[in-house]
Amino acid sequence: MGTAAVFTIGELAKRTGLPVKTIRFYSDEGLLPPTDRTDSGYRLYDATAMARLELVRTLRELGLGLVDVERALTREATIGDLAVQHVAALDEQIRRLKLRRAVLRAVAKRDSPLEEVELMNKLASMSDEDRKRLLDEFWADMVEGLELDPEFYERMRSAKPELPDDPTPEQLEAWIEFAELVQDEEFHASIRRMSEWHSQLRKQDGADFGAKQQELWMAWSARATEALEAGLAPDSAEGRELAETIFTQSSRNGRDPADPAWRKRLTDGMAISSDPRAERYWMLLGKINGWPSFPSQMAQAEWIIAALRSALG
């Protein structure tokens, strides 16, 4: 043995506050090789070894695994490189912990049954890429083979759910409902019928059909709002007048607004386009992304459809 001060594992434990068992484990793993041994074979450590032990403890407290600690000690990787890697890993771990917390908060709020808890955790754990892929596949199905306004449907596809790393229970609940909605076969079929209806009208009325129809709908909806506020029924004189306005303004390219077949086709098409689940889709997406809320237009849409049906006779 040399003459420099050396310490047994027990003495190292007292000086560093680490358990003897932990120091022995680090030594057995090669992270803390002994400086010397007594005649009886007990391990001894000098001041350099003590400093090395403090470094090992620091790296472990920062969350580095034994392999990375060894790489740092042997200079196979710099502390900076390992720190960058570990920060990325910690960020992902923190993100997942926040999502788990959000799931538990939502479970507590809803008093969810076991089956719902499993579904909530599965949907909450989806990555941003998985959520975007879910929407891309949905809209690809909605427009396949149809002649539609490319700018309009690009806006539809580009609006993606951006669930925060630390969502509120309301945002998490909105995402779960949203994910279930876009995977629902009936909703798929409804939006596909809506897309097919718009495609037919675009072929017949030209590429600017969508913009014109949106402008007209806003005017019709405003009149429906006034009627609802006045307590008027869809089969009132005001309702019949609005219905005739809609039939007339929608009858472009030589269509006869009085044609019973066209009037029924238009009414059915507008009913297809007024599925309340379509509005729910956007409300949920807005809640997930923290967008400003907007008032529902379903009451106006239902009043207009009822007025059209009443005018069919």
Side-chain angles (χ1 to χ4, degrees), residues 218-228 238 241-243 245 303:
M218 291 177 65
W220 302 337
S221 182
R223 290 175 62 178
T225 298
E226 293 176 359
L228 283 165
E238 288 79 2
E241 181 181 353
L242 177 56
T245 297
W303 196 92

Side-chain angles (χ1 to χ4, degrees), residues 56-74:
V56 170
R57 174 164 65 177
T58 298
L59 295 177
R60 291 291 287 157
E61 288 177 349
L62 289 171
L64 269 67
L66 293 177
V67 173
D68 283 339
V69 170
E70 183 177 12
R71 291 177 64 204
L73 294 174
T74 58

Side-chain angles (χ1 to χ4, degrees), residues 141-165:
D141 290 342
M142 295 306 100
V143 304
E144 183 179 7
L146 300 179
E147 183 178 322
L148 298 161
D149 181 347
E151 292 185 5
F152 174 77
Y153 274 87
E154 180 55 33
R155 290 197 299 272
M156 299 298 101
R157 286 192 295 263
S158 64
K160 299 291 196 303
E162 302 286 349
L163 191 66
D165 288 341

Side-chain angles (χ1 to χ4, degrees), residues 95 105 131 191 201 211:
R95 186 187 72 82
R105 282 175 173 169
R131 284 191 282 270
I191 301 302
L201 290 184

